[in-house]
Amino acid sequence: TGLSAFFRLHLRRNKQERIFTHHKTIEKDMKRNLFIPLFFLCSCPLATLAQANEKTLTVEVSNPWNRAKSDEPVVIKLNELNAGFRIKSATVMDGNTEIPSQLDDLNGDRRADELAFVINLPAQGKKTLKINLSSEKSDKKYEPRVYAEMLVSDKKGKHVPVHSVTIPGNVNIYNQMHHHGPAFESELVAYRLYFDHKQTVDIYGKFNKGFEIKESQFYPTDEQLARGFGDDVLRVSGSCGVGALKGWNGKKAMHIEPVSTLTESIIAYGPVRTIAEIKVTDWKYQGSELNMTTRYTLYAGHRDLQIEAFFEEPLKNEIFCTGVQDIKGSVSYSDHKGLIGCWGTDWPVNDTVKYAKETVGLATCIPQKYVVAEVKDKPNYLYTLTAKGDNYFSYHTTFTSMKETFGYKTPEAWFAYIREWKEGLEHPIVVTIKQ
């Protein structure tokens, strides 16, 4: 019995060893088989694993006007292209030359809505461009031609960058916002939007073309002024400044109040356009409660702002107004068809000892289809406007400072320029997409 027990134990051990050896063989085979696809997986380019989607378009851009256009904006709405994929980068080619461009998410859903760039076109000329859209992100960078910032000041005086700020309508953080709201610039001019019920558009004039706001933050030091920096050139007070949208009570312009919430945001930072927005909810106005977004777009190479007003619901009979400030002692010009301008000289701030008077030209141009009447109140030259049945209208505003080495020195020169400016706005380029 002891011998049989010995053999049973020996057989059991042999069986266990065979089972163990079998398992090790299987394990080696699995590792070997697994190594082969892993080897190929690691050695293959990533693009073969997740192939980028691409789409190439031919776009014809033509200028039917009898004058050349410089830095003319081209905007392509991506939802009209039916790309079939999420567009994360784009390349715009004029022959062998790449045109700087940008993709902008306008509604905050983290998906690009528009492709934008600027282009030069001769009188009655055209260009054929190739645009490649891709689902792959790109890390290429273009030389910026615009700049934007919005800063909140903390208790220690440090300025903290923010993209968007929302406050209740009865709260005032005007003095907590450095330069009082979003500020943005092109090479020619700079603007800021007041973060309060006035929502005034204020201006910063330059001696020379270039960028200054990042360094001066709208308030240049004595050292920067000595180096030739520009400065605030208009004391806007309670006016509409240059092109600020206002309410109208039949006699004078009204601020945007009361509202439930006020939001100011920077939507796009460049390189070819910057976009800032002011959004209000439940604006109690002329028997309505309006949810309104006012969008301000500044393009590279431009001194003028495109201003668009969006409403959540179609407008009824609401009447608004906009125009330009009546600078003390100014002379004005109007074509009585939506174009209003002025030229005047005044102190830009209350400090009349340190600062000198500034001379500026202002102008606002409203498409005639929106114009109700030309009106005047104490601080402003205005037009009233409406867009009954629509939930959108747009117009443009612009300015010059006489300190500009590249600008206009007389009211006659300024008024001649704004007439030409309006004519250019009325002769837009034509963009034809050939997919």
Side-chain angles (χ1 to χ4, degrees), residues 39-50:
F39 172 78
F40 284 108
L41 184 65
C42 295
S43 62
C44 289
L46 187 60
T48 62
L49 302 177

Side-chain angles (χ1 to χ4, degrees), residues 24-42:
K24 292 298 287 183
T25 302
I26 293 174
E27 184 179 350
K28 288 180 180 179
D29 290 341
M30 289 177 66
K31 287 182 177 179
R32 184 171 62 252
N33 292 335
L34 182 62
F35 173 77
I36 294 172
L38 280 175
F39 172 78
F40 284 108
L41 184 65
C42 295

Side-chain angles (χ1 to χ4, degrees), residues 149 151 159 178-179 212-220:
E149 67 178 23
L151 307 168
H159 307 313
H178 189 61
H179 47 60
E212 300 185 11
I213 298 304
K214 185 176 182 179
E215 186 176 348
S216 76
Q217 295 188 335
F218 224 90
Y219 305 113

Side-chain angles (χ1 to χ4, degrees), residues 304-366:
D304 61 329
L305 276 179
Q306 180 185 14
I307 302 175
E308 301 170 278
F310 301 84
F311 299 87
E312 194 171 86
E313 297 179 353
L315 292 168
K316 301 169 188 171
N317 296 307
E318 297 89 352
I319 303 293
F320 308 91
C321 70
T322 191
V324 295
Q325 179 177 345
D326 178 0
I327 304 167
K328 186 178 180 180
S330 66
V331 292
S332 65
Y333 169 82
S334 173
D335 70 352
H336 311 297
K337 297 178 181 179
L339 178 65
I340 187 72
C342 83
W343 180 274
T345 303
D346 196 7
W347 277 284
V349 292
N350 293 328
D351 185 346
T352 60
V353 176
K354 180 179 178 181
Y355 295 91
K357 287 186 175 182
E358 297 280 0
T359 299
V360 297
L362 314 176
T364 295
C365 183
I366 306 162

Side-chain angles (χ1 to χ4, degrees), residues 132-147:
N132 184 69
L133 309 172
S134 176
S135 63
E136 288 277 301
K137 286 186 177 182
S138 172
D139 58 359
K140 63 184 172 186
K141 296 184 183 300
Y142 304 108
E143 186 71 24
R145 296 186 60 198
V146 292
Y147 175 78

Side-chain angles (χ1 to χ4, degrees), residues 146-362:
V146 292
Y147 175 78
E149 67 178 23
M150 184 163 61
L151 307 168
V152 176
S153 299
D154 66 16
K155 292 182 179 179
K156 297 181 180 180
K158 182 179 179 181
H159 307 313
V160 181
V162 291
H163 295 298
S164 183
V165 177
T166 299
I167 59 173
N170 60 354
V171 171
N172 184 353
I173 63 167
Y174 175 83
N175 289 319
Q176 282 71 51
M177 304 299 298
H178 189 61
H179 47 60
H180 304 308
F184 44 92
E185 66 179 329
S186 68
E187 304 100 316
L188 284 72
V189 293
Y191 294 87
R192 63 176 169 178
L193 309 176
Y194 280 1
F195 202 128
D196 64 4
H197 61 294
K198 292 183 291 185
Q199 299 183 18
T200 310
V201 181
D202 196 12
I203 55 177
Y204 177 111
K206 303 179 183 183
F207 285 98
N208 304 298
K209 292 181 182 181
F211 296 121
E212 300 185 11
I213 298 304
K214 185 176 182 179
E215 186 176 348
S216 76
Q217 295 188 335
F218 224 90
Y219 305 113
T221 63
D222 290 343
E223 184 273 334
Q224 289 168 340
L225 291 171
R227 284 196 281 129
F229 269 55
D231 204 350
D232 186 347
V233 291
L234 185 65
R235 181 169 53 180
V236 296
S237 301
S239 73
C240 74
V242 51
L245 183 63
K246 298 287 187 178
W248 177 254
N249 72 353
K251 295 182 179 180
K252 64 179 183 178
M254 305 296 292
H255 301 318
I256 311 299
E257 60 179 345
V259 300
S260 293
T261 62
L262 168 63
T263 302
E264 298 204 11
S265 309
I266 297 177
I267 305 300
Y269 289 82
V272 295
R273 71 174 179 179
T274 178
I275 303 172
E277 285 187 349
I278 301 178
K279 182 179 294 185
V280 297
T281 59
D282 303 326
W283 176 23
K284 293 179 174 58
Y285 181 66
Q286 294 185 354
S288 299
E289 284 194 353
L290 303 178
N291 296 324
M292 179 179 74
T293 299
T294 312
R295 180 178 295 166
Y296 300 83
T297 304
L298 177 63
Y299 284 91
H302 280 247
R303 63 171 66 247
D304 61 329
L305 276 179
Q306 180 185 14
I307 302 175
E308 301 170 278
F310 301 84
F311 299 87
E312 194 171 86
E313 297 179 353
L315 292 168
K316 301 169 188 171
N317 296 307
E318 297 89 352
I319 303 293
F320 308 91
C321 70
T322 191
V324 295
Q325 179 177 345
D326 178 0
I327 304 167
K328 186 178 180 180
S330 66
V331 292
S332 65
Y333 169 82
S334 173
D335 70 352
H336 311 297
K337 297 178 181 179
L339 178 65
I340 187 72
C342 83
W343 180 274
T345 303
D346 196 7
W347 277 284
V349 292
N350 293 328
D351 185 346
T352 60
V353 176
K354 180 179 178 181
Y355 295 91
K357 287 186 175 182
E358 297 280 0
T359 299
V360 297
L362 314 176

